[in-house]
Amino acid sequence: MPQFSIKPLADEPRIRNALSELLIETVASGGSVSFMHPLSPDDANAFWQDSLGTAARGERIVLGAFDGDDLIGTVTLLLKLPPNQPHRAEIAKMMTRVSHRHRGAATALLRAAEQLAIEHGRTLLVLDTAVDEGAAPLYERSGFQLSGIIPDYALKPHGGLTGTMIYWKRIGAAAAAA
């Protein structure tokens, strides 16, 4: 598997621009990550400014995968959840540049997010992915269990409805005890 450097991202203009380009590319190529095509650079930038702002407050961690100096992937680990859920975290916004898909970057990002979740005392990870063109095979290879499918959950970036698949995985101490 190729080696990519994985690190937490901060709100810097260069990073925000690279994240915005990645989000626009993902949506344009059909990635169901909460946005519709065409996604404007201003809307993408505003999303990342907000997301990185909440990361600065410790509510989430935005990870980036780099091939040299180039940002080629990202995933977000959501840490701020309701008071009755201090044991879990959520995986969100998994994206990899089209040019770098199926080369191990997403797997490396997912592993790094899981390790950070464990370091933050989490024992359960959850995520969802689109039924149409989602990353279900990646998540299943990484040990996530399918809970179920909700039909017609969201619009696809180019229109039409898609379902979502809900996944979970015990991690850290909970995984060791199972």
Side-chain angles (χ1 to χ4, degrees), residues 10-46:
D11 191 3
E12 303 167 9
R14 180 183 74 82
I15 293 297
R16 196 169 350 110
N17 288 338
L19 285 167
S20 294
E21 289 173 9
L22 175 58
L23 180 57
I24 290 166
E25 176 185 290
T26 300
V27 171
S29 66
S32 185
V33 288
S34 304
F35 295 93
M36 299 300 290
H37 179 73
L39 176 60
S40 76
D42 287 343
D43 287 345
N45 185 64

Short mmCIF file of all heavy atoms in Angstrom, two decimals, residues 10-46:
data_model
loop_
_atom_site.label_atom_id
_atom_site.label_comp_id
_atom_site.label_asym_id
_atom_site.label_seq_id
_atom_site.Cartn_x
_atom_site.Cartn_y
_atom_site.Cartn_z
N ALA A 10 -5.77 22.45 9.90
CA ALA A 10 -6.17 23.70 10.53
C ALA A 10 -6.65 24.66 9.44
O ALA A 10 -6.36 24.46 8.26
CB ALA A 10 -4.99 24.30 11.30
N ASP A 11 -7.36 25.69 9.85
CA ASP A 11 -7.92 26.65 8.91
C ASP A 11 -6.85 27.61 8.40
O ASP A 11 -6.63 28.67 8.98
CB ASP A 11 -9.09 27.41 9.54
CG ASP A 11 -9.87 28.21 8.51
OD1 ASP A 11 -9.55 28.13 7.30
OD2 ASP A 11 -10.81 28.92 8.91
N GLU A 12 -6.20 27.19 7.35
CA GLU A 12 -5.23 28.01 6.64
C GLU A 12 -5.74 28.18 5.22
O GLU A 12 -6.35 27.26 4.67
CB GLU A 12 -3.86 27.32 6.60
CG GLU A 12 -3.30 26.97 7.97
CD GLU A 12 -2.12 26.01 7.88
OE1 GLU A 12 -1.63 25.74 6.76
OE2 GLU A 12 -1.72 25.52 8.93
N PRO A 13 -5.52 29.33 4.58
CA PRO A 13 -6.06 29.55 3.23
C PRO A 13 -5.70 28.44 2.24
O PRO A 13 -6.55 27.98 1.49
CB PRO A 13 -5.46 30.90 2.83
CG PRO A 13 -5.25 31.60 4.13
CD PRO A 13 -4.86 30.52 5.10
N ARG A 14 -4.45 27.99 2.24
CA ARG A 14 -4.02 26.95 1.30
C ARG A 14 -4.79 25.65 1.54
O ARG A 14 -5.24 24.98 0.61
CB ARG A 14 -2.52 26.72 1.43
CG ARG A 14 -1.96 25.66 0.49
CD ARG A 14 -0.47 25.43 0.72
NE ARG A 14 -0.19 24.69 1.94
CZ ARG A 14 -0.25 23.37 2.05
NH1 ARG A 14 -0.58 22.63 1.02
NH2 ARG A 14 0.02 22.78 3.19
N ILE A 15 -4.96 25.30 2.82
CA ILE A 15 -5.66 24.06 3.17
C ILE A 15 -7.14 24.19 2.82
O ILE A 15 -7.74 23.28 2.23
CB ILE A 15 -5.48 23.73 4.67
CG1 ILE A 15 -4.02 23.39 4.95
CG2 ILE A 15 -6.42 22.62 5.12
CD1 ILE A 15 -3.49 22.15 4.24
N ARG A 16 -7.75 25.31 3.17
CA ARG A 16 -9.17 25.50 2.87
C ARG A 16 -9.42 25.47 1.37
O ARG A 16 -10.40 24.88 0.91
CB ARG A 16 -9.69 26.80 3.49
CG ARG A 16 -11.19 26.82 3.52
CD ARG A 16 -11.81 27.94 4.34
NE ARG A 16 -10.96 28.73 5.16
CZ ARG A 16 -10.65 30.02 4.91
NH1 ARG A 16 -11.14 30.64 3.86
NH2 ARG A 16 -9.86 30.68 5.72
N ASN A 17 -8.54 26.08 0.59
CA ASN A 17 -8.68 26.04 -0.87
C ASN A 17 -8.58 24.62 -1.40
O ASN A 17 -9.36 24.21 -2.27
CB ASN A 17 -7.65 26.94 -1.54
CG ASN A 17 -7.94 28.41 -1.35
OD1 ASN A 17 -9.08 28.80 -1.09
ND2 ASN A 17 -6.93 29.23 -1.47
N ALA A 18 -7.62 23.85 -0.89
CA ALA A 18 -7.45 22.47 -1.34
C ALA A 18 -8.66 21.62 -0.94
O ALA A 18 -9.13 20.80 -1.74
CB ALA A 18 -6.16 21.88 -0.75
N LEU A 19 -9.17 21.82 0.27
CA LEU A 19 -10.37 21.09 0.70
C LEU A 19 -11.57 21.46 -0.17
O LEU A 19 -12.38 20.60 -0.54
CB LEU A 19 -10.67 21.37 2.17
CG LEU A 19 -9.78 20.69 3.19
CD1 LEU A 19 -9.97 21.31 4.56
CD2 LEU A 19 -10.02 19.19 3.22
N SER A 20 -11.70 22.75 -0.49
CA SER A 20 -12.81 23.21 -1.33
C SER A 20 -12.74 22.58 -2.71
O SER A 20 -13.76 22.12 -3.25
CB SER A 20 -12.81 24.73 -1.42
OG SER A 20 -13.08 25.30 -0.16
N GLU A 21 -11.55 22.54 -3.30
CA GLU A 21 -11.38 21.91 -4.61
C GLU A 21 -11.74 20.43 -4.55
O GLU A 21 -12.41 19.90 -5.46
CB GLU A 21 -9.94 22.06 -5.10
CG GLU A 21 -9.57 23.47 -5.50
CD GLU A 21 -8.09 23.62 -5.81
OE1 GLU A 21 -7.36 22.60 -5.88
OE2 GLU A 21 -7.65 24.78 -5.98
N LEU A 22 -11.34 19.76 -3.48
CA LEU A 22 -11.65 18.34 -3.30
C LEU A 22 -13.16 18.13 -3.16
O LEU A 22 -13.73 17.22 -3.78
CB LEU A 22 -10.92 17.79 -2.08
CG LEU A 22 -11.21 16.34 -1.69
CD1 LEU A 22 -10.91 15.38 -2.82
CD2 LEU A 22 -10.42 15.98 -0.44
N LEU A 23 -13.83 18.97 -2.40
CA LEU A 23 -15.27 18.85 -2.22
C LEU A 23 -16.00 19.08 -3.54
O LEU A 23 -16.90 18.32 -3.90
CB LEU A 23 -15.75 19.85 -1.15
CG LEU A 23 -17.24 19.87 -0.84
CD1 LEU A 23 -17.74 18.49 -0.40
CD2 LEU A 23 -17.53 20.92 0.24
N ILE A 24 -15.60 20.11 -4.28
CA ILE A 24 -16.23 20.39 -5.58
C ILE A 24 -16.03 19.22 -6.53
O ILE A 24 -16.96 18.79 -7.22
CB ILE A 24 -15.69 21.71 -6.16
CG1 ILE A 24 -16.20 22.90 -5.32
CG2 ILE A 24 -16.08 21.88 -7.62
CD1 ILE A 24 -15.49 24.21 -5.58
N GLU A 25 -14.82 18.66 -6.58
CA GLU A 25 -14.54 17.51 -7.44
C GLU A 25 -15.37 16.30 -7.04
O GLU A 25 -15.92 15.60 -7.89
CB GLU A 25 -13.05 17.16 -7.37
CG GLU A 25 -12.68 15.92 -8.17
CD GLU A 25 -11.23 15.52 -7.99
OE1 GLU A 25 -10.34 16.24 -8.49
OE2 GLU A 25 -10.99 14.48 -7.34
N THR A 26 -15.48 16.06 -5.74
CA THR A 26 -16.24 14.92 -5.24
C THR A 26 -17.71 15.02 -5.63
O THR A 26 -18.30 14.06 -6.11
CB THR A 26 -16.08 14.80 -3.71
OG1 THR A 26 -14.69 14.62 -3.40
CG2 THR A 26 -16.89 13.64 -3.15
N VAL A 27 -18.28 16.20 -5.43
CA VAL A 27 -19.69 16.41 -5.77
C VAL A 27 -19.89 16.30 -7.28
O VAL A 27 -20.84 15.66 -7.75
CB VAL A 27 -20.18 17.77 -5.22
CG1 VAL A 27 -21.57 18.11 -5.74
CG2 VAL A 27 -20.17 17.75 -3.69
N ALA A 28 -18.99 16.89 -8.06
CA ALA A 28 -19.11 16.83 -9.53
C ALA A 28 -19.03 15.40 -10.04
O ALA A 28 -19.68 15.05 -11.03
CB ALA A 28 -18.02 17.69 -10.17
N SER A 29 -18.27 14.54 -9.34
CA SER A 29 -18.14 13.15 -9.78
C SER A 29 -19.21 12.24 -9.15
O SER A 29 -19.11 11.02 -9.27
CB SER A 29 -16.73 12.63 -9.49
OG SER A 29 -16.50 12.55 -8.10
N GLY A 30 -20.20 12.84 -8.50
CA GLY A 30 -21.32 12.06 -7.99
C GLY A 30 -21.26 11.68 -6.53
O GLY A 30 -22.13 10.95 -6.06
N GLY A 31 -20.26 12.15 -5.80
CA GLY A 31 -20.14 11.82 -4.39
C GLY A 31 -21.26 12.45 -3.57
O GLY A 31 -21.49 13.65 -3.64
N SER A 32 -21.94 11.62 -2.79
CA SER A 32 -23.06 12.08 -1.98
C SER A 32 -22.53 12.50 -0.61
O SER A 32 -22.48 11.72 0.33
CB SER A 32 -24.10 10.96 -1.83
OG SER A 32 -25.23 11.44 -1.15
N VAL A 33 -22.12 13.76 -0.52
CA VAL A 33 -21.53 14.30 0.70
C VAL A 33 -22.26 15.57 1.14
O VAL A 33 -21.65 16.54 1.57
CB VAL A 33 -20.01 14.55 0.55
CG1 VAL A 33 -19.24 13.25 0.51
CG2 VAL A 33 -19.72 15.40 -0.67
N SER A 34 -23.59 15.56 0.99
CA SER A 34 -24.49 16.61 1.47
C SER A 34 -24.65 17.82 0.55
O SER A 34 -25.34 18.76 0.92
CB SER A 34 -24.08 17.11 2.86
OG SER A 34 -24.01 16.05 3.77
N PHE A 35 -24.05 17.82 -0.61
CA PHE A 35 -24.13 18.97 -1.51
C PHE A 35 -24.65 18.56 -2.87
O PHE A 35 -24.55 17.41 -3.27
CB PHE A 35 -22.75 19.63 -1.66
CG PHE A 35 -22.25 20.23 -0.38
CD1 PHE A 35 -21.44 19.51 0.47
CD2 PHE A 35 -22.62 21.52 -0.02
CE1 PHE A 35 -20.99 20.06 1.67
CE2 PHE A 35 -22.17 22.08 1.17
CZ PHE A 35 -21.35 21.35 2.01
N MET A 36 -25.17 19.54 -3.59
CA MET A 36 -25.68 19.32 -4.94
C MET A 36 -24.72 19.92 -5.96
O MET A 36 -24.02 20.89 -5.67
CB MET A 36 -27.07 19.95 -5.11
CG MET A 36 -28.14 19.38 -4.17
SD MET A 36 -28.43 17.61 -4.38
CE MET A 36 -29.22 17.60 -5.99
N HIS A 37 -24.70 19.33 -7.15
CA HIS A 37 -23.89 19.82 -8.27
C HIS A 37 -24.72 20.83 -9.07
O HIS A 37 -25.91 20.60 -9.28
CB HIS A 37 -23.48 18.65 -9.15
CG HIS A 37 -22.67 19.05 -10.34
ND1 HIS A 37 -21.37 19.46 -10.22
CD2 HIS A 37 -22.99 19.14 -11.64
CE1 HIS A 37 -20.91 19.76 -11.42
NE2 HIS A 37 -21.88 19.57 -12.30
N PRO A 38 -24.15 21.93 -9.50
CA PRO A 38 -22.78 22.37 -9.27
C PRO A 38 -22.63 23.04 -7.91
O PRO A 38 -23.52 23.76 -7.47
CB PRO A 38 -22.53 23.37 -10.39
CG PRO A 38 -23.88 23.94 -10.71
CD PRO A 38 -24.88 22.83 -10.43
N LEU A 39 -21.53 22.79 -7.27
CA LEU A 39 -21.21 23.39 -5.97
C LEU A 39 -20.28 24.57 -6.22
O LEU A 39 -19.22 24.41 -6.84
CB LEU A 39 -20.54 22.35 -5.07
CG LEU A 39 -20.04 22.83 -3.71
CD1 LEU A 39 -21.18 23.40 -2.88
CD2 LEU A 39 -19.34 21.71 -2.98
N SER A 40 -20.67 25.72 -5.74
CA SER A 40 -19.85 26.93 -5.97
C SER A 40 -18.63 26.93 -5.05
O SER A 40 -18.69 26.41 -3.92
CB SER A 40 -20.68 28.19 -5.72
OG SER A 40 -20.85 28.41 -4.33
N PRO A 41 -17.55 27.53 -5.51
CA PRO A 41 -16.36 27.67 -4.65
C PRO A 41 -16.68 28.41 -3.35
O PRO A 41 -16.14 28.06 -2.30
CB PRO A 41 -15.37 28.45 -5.52
CG PRO A 41 -15.76 28.11 -6.92
CD PRO A 41 -17.27 27.99 -6.88
N ASP A 42 -17.56 29.41 -3.40
CA ASP A 42 -17.91 30.15 -2.18
C ASP A 42 -18.62 29.25 -1.17
O ASP A 42 -18.33 29.32 0.03
CB ASP A 42 -18.79 31.36 -2.51
CG ASP A 42 -18.02 32.48 -3.19
OD1 ASP A 42 -16.77 32.49 -3.14
OD2 ASP A 42 -18.69 33.35 -3.80
N ASP A 43 -19.54 28.41 -1.65
CA ASP A 43 -20.24 27.51 -0.74
C ASP A 43 -19.30 26.45 -0.17
O ASP A 43 -19.39 26.11 1.01
CB ASP A 43 -21.42 26.84 -1.44
CG ASP A 43 -22.59 27.80 -1.66
OD1 ASP A 43 -22.61 28.89 -1.05
OD2 ASP A 43 -23.47 27.45 -2.48
N ALA A 44 -18.42 25.94 -0.99
CA ALA A 44 -17.44 24.96 -0.52
C ALA A 44 -16.51 25.59 0.52
O ALA A 44 -16.24 25.00 1.57
CB ALA A 44 -16.63 24.40 -1.69
N ASN A 45 -16.04 26.78 0.24
CA ASN A 45 -15.16 27.48 1.17
C ASN A 45 -15.86 27.75 2.49
O ASN A 45 -15.29 27.56 3.57
CB ASN A 45 -14.67 28.79 0.54
CG ASN A 45 -13.66 29.49 1.41
OD1 ASN A 45 -12.57 28.98 1.66
ND2 ASN A 45 -14.02 30.66 1.89
N ALA A 46 -17.12 28.19 2.44
CA ALA A 46 -17.88 28.47 3.66
C ALA A 46 -18.05 27.20 4.50
O ALA A 46 -17.93 27.23 5.73
CB ALA A 46 -19.24 29.06 3.32
#
